[in-house]
Amino acid sequence: YVFTDIQGSTKLWEESPDAMMEALGYHDAVIDRATEANDGVSVKPRGEGDSRFLVFQRAADGVGAAADIQRGLARVDWPTSTAVLVRVAVHTGAAELQSGDYYGTAVNRAARLRALAHGGQTVVSAATYELIRDAVPAGVDVHDLGLHGLKDLSVPEHVFQIDIDGRPGTFAPLQSLEAIPNNLPVQLTEFVGREVEIEEVKLGLDQSRLLTILAPGGAGKTRLAIQAAADLTFDFPDGVFFVALAPILTGDEVPQAIFEALGVPIASGDDMRTQLLDYLRSKSQLLILDNFEHLVGGPALVSEILTSAPQVKIIATSRIRLRVGGESVLVLPGLDTTWETPEEAAKASSVALFVDAARRTDRLFRVEEADLEPLRRVIHLVEGLPLGILLAAAWTDTLGIDEIADEITNSLDFLESDLDDTLDRHRSMRAVFDSSLALLDEEERRMFTALSVFQAGFTRNAAEQVAGTTLRSLSNLISKSLVTADRDSGRYSIHALLRQYAEELLISDAVLHQETGIAYIAFYSQLVAESERLITLADQRRALSIVEDDIENVRSAYRRSLSRRDASAVRRFVLGLWFLYEVRGWHQAGQALFEQALETFPQGSDDENIVIARETAAGALGKFVAYLGQPAEGAAMSGLAADRLSQTSDRYGELMALEARCDGLAYLGDWSEIREVASSAIDIAEEHDCGWWRAGMPNWLAIAEAQLGNTEQATAAVEDGNNRLAQLGDDFFMAWNVMVRASIEAMSDQLDAATASNQKLVELSRGLGFQRTLQFGLQGLADVSMAAGDLSAAQGAFLECL
């Protein structure tokens, strides 16, 4: 498939429509000659009037035609003020020929590939390149441009440039998703239809900075928002970011969710809401706030963002209006439900979606003319709702389309709506979900219901341990569109509305609900316990990733363990969560997290498990309290926790609390006390063979000795810690160790050595994603640059530090 279009054609038409009309004649003649000469067919224009869609039986013919087009256009004496430049894309794949036109994923991908290129440039996909690599047409060279994300948000495409003799071969970087910062999730299926709605989203954002996509569950709000954002990436130089709000519980958590989506560190001492507004103030960004309806108080933050950040625009998806000033609303209808002829049916997005979903079960599935009437009934009964269409299509492996229509006719109660004139039978999707679950046997139904416990997707191992699935049963659920698999990440998920429905079934089954809840807590508490083990083995990047990759489930399981007063599980959560929140700089959220444990487990219990759970949480809490501007309270809290833990069997918890106490004491400048605490911790770690803590605590001893003017003792402590940490291969405590070394070197006017140490600290911190030590490293570089008189370098480092 060869797709072409003219660069900047709108401007050329506006400048000189008569000249452009003449130019278009030359343009069409060149393309038609090249198509005929290479045994191709011109299907029809695709998109604007100056775009073309050509089809060839052989990849070499398509590439040859593309080369002939560029050569022919170069020879034209254009009547326009500037030469007409055409971008060309070539892709190869299977598609359906219906009513003289081609449909399918391969065709759509070819169009997306064209969108990457610039005028005069010709690009081809990896599929095409593989077919021509051993027989490149004469006068053509191939230039590898690497992997690039297309705006259909599918897996990245390996793109190659066709260099044609006598034509320029150097162009600006491709206009791929990687060119603009974004976190838009890769989509596993083709985006079908909604062309009108995509344009309405763009128009809505032109007219208003807040667009709410309003629809009941299952209407495709999220997918539409993500696709529209992908199309708009180049309008927002500071990035396009997707913020998933479904997992959070209150509007107060929205700033944290936005910060996490942006990947921006949060300062400890300032109000998070204020920080967010300050950060966004000068940004030109698009935020997609997904699933907003349940967050009381959330719309107030949206209003503040719009007021404080004039270049930020927001797409919100919700079942209810946000009712914020300046809000524009797009009510998302179902897909088209009627057609008059088979040709119109072939073009209907609802039919395309049904066929696309059915082919996930049967790749040879096709709609015959006799199927069109029952298919029209199916789509009409679900009112074109994408989720209803997907669920209906999942039945094609066991039922004919007419049988599916009959089943839906007998039980339809799928639509959720707050409109007063909506029929009662249209207020719920329960009938659609019930029909879908009817395809499952009793064991599959139990497994699917149990899977609803997962808050934000899950791994195969998690599904097996918590819900008792097998690979085959999980595959069956995927084939029936009840579970979605992401092959790249190895994770699975359930559509949010389906999960809510299944969760109701889970809650109604008291025995299964209890068993699943216990298994859920056990799995994620063990996962975090494994993280703690990896932390102390100095495998900290892996320790962070296994918790952070499943953070919503981990936090949910932690809260469940608190509600069940499962002290042993709470203890397993504490150190792994403390470490993640410490490294990422989530201090306010960490304070809230561990305060919940203190509220659950009051002082005075005789149960050692409860004492350990409470006091390890109190030790971690003391660190975050100190960071957040109350060092005396934090130091006292951690110190008391350490004293109480010393009476238990938990040495790691005690050492964590002692290390946290040093943070508070450092803010208070009590260096003598830090020396005593650090020395005590070193003795405890030595006695109980806690190697990681033994290697890390000399950092605090060195800091104290340096501040007390004992440079020789400080240097000895640094060397002791460095040797042990290097042997472990540690990054976390090593970052602190290098920071102390840099401080000692700066205090001794060893500026070159201090510069090298701070550079190493910055490198270590960036590798671990450790925001706090990165700040110290940058500040250290700035201070040393100031001392050396390099004000420009100092200014740059200070600004990045801030």
Side-chain angles (χ1 to χ4, degrees), residues 98-99 103 336-355 367-369 371-373 375-376 379:
Q98 295 178 347
S99 304
Y103 298 88
D336 39 14
T337 60
T338 61
W339 51 81
E340 297 297 329
T341 65
E343 289 75 19
E344 288 182 7
K347 300 174 184 177
S349 54
S350 54
V351 174
L353 181 61
F354 186 93
V355 172
V367 176
E368 304 294 345
E369 188 167 342
D371 295 323
L372 289 177
E373 179 53 30
L375 181 54
R376 185 199 61 77
I379 294 172

Side-chain angles (χ1 to χ4, degrees), residues 598 601-605 608 610-612 614-616 618 636-651 653-654 657-658:
L598 270 62
F601 300 121
Q603 294 180 15
S605 175
E608 183 179 68
I610 290 178
V611 173
I612 289 173
R614 185 187 195 283
E615 301 308 331
T616 51
M637 187 180 298
S638 297
L640 184 58
D643 289 343
R644 289 172 175 162
L645 286 166
S646 69
Q647 306 303 311
T648 71
S649 58
D650 195 334
R651 298 287 71 76
E654 179 187 5
L658 288 171

Side-chain angles (χ1 to χ4, degrees), residues 1 13 61 113 166 168 178 279 306 312 321 345 348 374 417 472 507 516 566 568 592 636 658 723:
Y1 308 105
W13 280 106
D61 293 336
L113 184 63
E178 290 79 7
Y279 172 80
L306 295 174
V312 170
R321 295 171 182 259
S417 175
R472 182 173 296 278
I507 293 170
T516 304
D566 186 343
S568 296
L658 288 171
N723 293 336

